[in-house]
Structure formats: C-alpha cells, structure tokens
Amino acid sequence: MNTNETTINELDTENTNNVSEHTHILEDGTVVTHTHDHSHPHHHENTKAVLNRMSRAIGHMESIKRMVEDGRDCSEVLIQIAAVRSAINNIGKIILEDHINHCIVDAVETGDKKALEDLNEAIEKFVK
C-alpha cells in the first residue's frame, strides 16, 4: 500500500495460528488485504498509556478542526498541527520501544528473523 493512500476502514481478524489478517478499504474503494504472522501474544505494558495519548491527540485534532471551521488564524492552526504531530511521533516512539523490549527480544530468543525484517520495515515507514 502506498503511504499516500488513506485507509478509511480497517478490518482485523486473527486465526488460531496467530496469523492476523488486515483488510484496508481505501477511499477509492480499493480493498487491500495482507497478513501478519504473530508468534507471540501482543500484551504490552504501555497499552493504556498509548491509548490515553491517542485519545488526547484525537481530541486535539478535533479542536484544530473547529479552529479551521471558525476561521482562526492560519499560524495558530499550524502551531497546533505541529503539536499534534509531535504527540503522534511520541506515541510511535512508545510503541516502538515497547515492541523492541518485548516482541523483538522474544523474536531474537526464538530465532524469528521475520520479526526483525518487519521491525526494519516499520522503522523505515515511521521515520519518513
């Protein structure tokens, strides 16, 4: 999937073999499905903090939308967008750190090279 494409709907399923299937329905109606083989459960210590931060970022974006609707000064809107972008980047850093500390440690212990390849791909997309 191109990073410029917008996902408007995502459906996740996971079977008993720890293979989860993600179906993305793009704005133009294109359906993209891919799978991930997860050989470990996804229970992370920072899940609650990540969800709380995401909720705050979503609320912040909603307030920025109201600023635009109200015709607020463009520089004020841009400053607020920068704040949300920073918050989202920090959420990503927490997820990445948690992933490395748990999933990647498990992958190294079990010799799961695919998890390391997936990590490299995720980091590449995250830092763009």
Side-chain angles (χ1 to χ4, degrees):
M1 181 169 58
N2 185 321
T3 56
N4 294 329
E5 296 170 329
T6 304
T7 303
I8 60 168
N9 191 6
E10 185 172 309
L11 308 169
D12 294 336
T13 58
E14 189 161 334
N15 67 25
T16 56
N17 295 327
N18 290 322
V19 175
S20 62
E21 182 175 278
H22 304 284
T23 301
H24 306 274
I25 303 171
L26 306 179
E27 287 180 342
D28 66 359
T30 304
V31 177
V32 179
T33 301
H34 61 102
T35 60
H36 296 279
D37 181 9
H38 297 285
S39 57
H40 59 278
H42 275 88
H43 300 287
H44 301 288
E45 59 191 50
N46 293 314
T47 300
K48 186 173 181 177
V50 166
L51 291 173
N52 288 339
R53 286 173 181 245
M54 290 178 84
S55 293
R56 281 198 305 269
I58 290 167
H60 199 160
M61 281 300 299
E62 289 170 349
S63 70
I64 295 170
K65 180 181 177 191
R66 285 191 299 276
M67 288 175 70
V68 172
E69 291 169 345
D70 294 343
R72 297 278 296 271
D73 182 65
C74 294
S75 60
E76 291 177 25
V77 172
L78 290 170
I79 289 168
Q80 295 306 312
I81 289 171
V84 171
R85 186 178 339 162
S86 176
I88 291 170
N89 283 338
N90 287 329
I91 293 167
K93 289 175 190 174
I94 292 169
I95 293 170
L96 179 59
E97 183 178 293
D98 206 27
H99 182 60
I100 290 169
N101 290 335
H102 297 283
C103 305
I104 298 305
V105 168
D106 291 345
V108 169
E109 289 173 354
T110 61
D112 183 359
K113 293 183 191 267
K114 175 82 168 91
L116 297 174
E117 292 169 9
D118 290 345
L119 172 64
N120 285 330
E121 183 180 335
I123 289 172
E124 202 172 292
K125 289 180 180 179
F126 179 67
V127 297
K128 273 190 175 180

